[in-house]
Amino acid sequence: MKKIAGCALVGALALSLAACGGSDGGGGDDAAGTAKKTLTIGIANFSLQAPYFIAMAKAIETEAKTYSNVKVISTDAQGDAAKLTTNVNDLLTQNVDGIIISGGPLNAAPAAMNAVEQKNVPSILVDRKFSGGQYTSWIGPNNTQIGQGNGQYITDRLKGNGTLVVITGGPADNTIGLDRTNGLLGVVKQSPGITVVTAPDFGGWSSDGGLKVMENVLAKNQHIDAVFCENDAMCLGAQKAISDAGRTDEMFLVAADGQKEALAAIKSGSNYAATAVNNADTIGRSGLDRMMAVLAGAEPSKDTPLDAPLVTKDNVDKYSNPDSIF
């Protein structure tokens, strides 16, 4: 999974570094000493309150263990932007060799990024790409592509007619959610027979949030044909609300991320029809490998958007793994 498009060069360099660190042969004492130096990587997580971000943090830490000379220090800002900046500064005082930032819904963290830049420490952003170009490299999903793929699936299945409910994660300026929903709407609006109902409240990217939002939507809409959620967690909650209301056969659900519970629901033949793979494990591991490549002297692409294939009952076996960390 980690051998993704766009990462071949940096992955090879990262693996080369690991091989040097674990070998006693080749090169003089100075070269061997440099290769075996313990590298400390800081991980600044904006929030570890959602399964997706928990899985990404675990993936980074797990991938770090494949290198013989890497130490990881992980932090959790618990959804507080000021605390994220504090955590980044704390990591810098510990003389980390690089920082990986999982920014969650943040669109920017200028104070944190300025501190990293002033220390001349490489920074890899995973999932969230901040506005501003101070970071070294970013790896994350192509959110517009996710929305477009979902929109095409919904349009095709509705045959151009029906009522579609959209559940957003929030906040209003969250570019991940905006890109997914705008990508979807750009396709759906080409079919004027589809009525779009946007839920008035945010689902907060959680199953509990999705459940509550869907309960309100169901109470106000007598008939719904399809539901789109900006992530799987919200749609899993929405699915429960629909089931509790006895309206399972009325509508199908489509979302994004490829959470294993969503894939299981698709595989079971339920009304959870499709999701787009935005694999937290792949992104996390790739982020760590890219950091190692940068520390080995690579100059990676500034931005690497990853493809997000659509998963339906027809191909779910290819992506489903009950033992996955996400």
Side-chain angles (χ1 to χ4, degrees):
M1 289 291 287
K2 69 184 179 185
K3 291 183 179 178
I4 55 177
C7 291
L9 171 62
V10 293
L13 287 170
L15 293 173
S16 174
L17 176 62
C20 290
S23 173
D24 290 330
D29 292 339
D30 289 343
T34 300
K36 291 183 178 180
K37 172 195 171 185
T38 297
L39 298 172
T40 303
I41 309 299
I43 308 173
N45 296 293
F46 177 67
S47 175
L48 292 178
Q49 305 307 306
Y52 180 82
F53 296 114
I54 293 170
M56 189 173 297
K58 287 182 178 178
I60 295 170
E61 294 174 13
T62 300
E63 187 69 1
K65 293 177 182 177
T66 67
Y67 297 87
S68 62
N69 60 333
V70 175
K71 173 185 175 183
V72 168
I73 304 173
S74 186
T75 64
D76 177 13
Q78 300 177 325
D80 186 327
K83 185 170 175 56
L84 178 73
T85 298
T86 298
N87 289 345
V88 167
N89 282 315
D90 286 345
L91 290 169
L92 292 172
T93 62
Q94 297 179 65
N95 295 318
V96 294
D97 296 284
I99 292 182
I100 298 174
I101 300 178
S102 174
L106 285 179
N107 286 325
M113 299 311 297
N114 286 339
V116 173
E117 188 175 31
Q118 288 172 10
K119 276 282 190 175
N120 197 28
V121 170
S123 57
I124 306 296
L125 306 183
V126 290
D127 185 63
R128 163 62 71 184
K129 180 169 68 173
F130 291 155
S131 59
Q134 306 100 310
Y135 59 90
T136 305
S137 187
W138 163 79
I139 298 175
N142 187 331
N143 290 300
T144 299
Q145 180 196 44
I146 286 174
Q148 290 170 338
N150 286 343
Q152 192 62 58
Y153 176 87
I154 291 168
T155 299
D156 290 346
R157 182 156 172 172
L158 292 180
K159 297 181 180 179
N161 291 282
T163 298
L164 166 65
V165 168
V166 173
I167 298 178
T168 57
D173 62 351
N174 187 326
T175 55
I176 284 179
L178 286 171
D179 286 349
R180 291 180 183 182
T181 292
N182 288 338
L184 172 110
L185 295 178
V187 175
V188 170
K189 287 182 176 178
Q190 296 178 37
S191 298
I194 298 178
T195 300
V196 177
V197 177
T198 301
D201 301 315
F202 296 127
W205 303 94
S206 70
S207 58
D208 286 344
L211 184 147
K212 292 175 183 176
V213 169
M214 195 68 220
E215 286 177 339
N216 292 334
V217 171
L218 289 167
K220 296 176 181 178
N221 294 270
Q222 293 185 349
H223 183 81
I224 299 168
D225 297 289
V227 177
F228 165 74
C229 306
E230 289 179 345
N231 78 338
D232 282 321
M234 291 189 293
C235 251
L236 288 166
Q239 185 185 38
K240 184 178 187 308
I242 294 165
S243 176
D244 291 346
R247 296 173 65 173
T248 294
D249 294 338
E250 180 183 326
M251 66 197 80
F252 63 91
L253 301 98
V254 176
D257 280 352
Q259 188 172 334
K260 63 183 178 182
E261 290 83 0
L263 296 179
I266 293 170
K267 188 172 182 176
S268 72
S270 73
N271 64 333
Y272 208 119
T275 188
V277 173
N278 172 33
N279 194 286
D281 183 64
T282 297
I283 293 174
R285 289 177 183 272
S286 299
L288 189 282
D289 286 340
R290 178 156 293 188
M291 175 62 76
M292 295 300 290
V294 169
L295 293 175
E299 294 185 7
S301 299
K302 183 74 173 180
D303 296 329
T304 303
L306 305 180
D307 285 337
L310 188 73
V311 180
T312 67
K313 64 181 181 180
D314 295 330
N315 63 348
V316 66
D317 287 338
K318 179 179 178 180
Y319 298 98
S320 180
N321 177 11
D323 298 324
S324 170
I325 63 175
F326 176 68

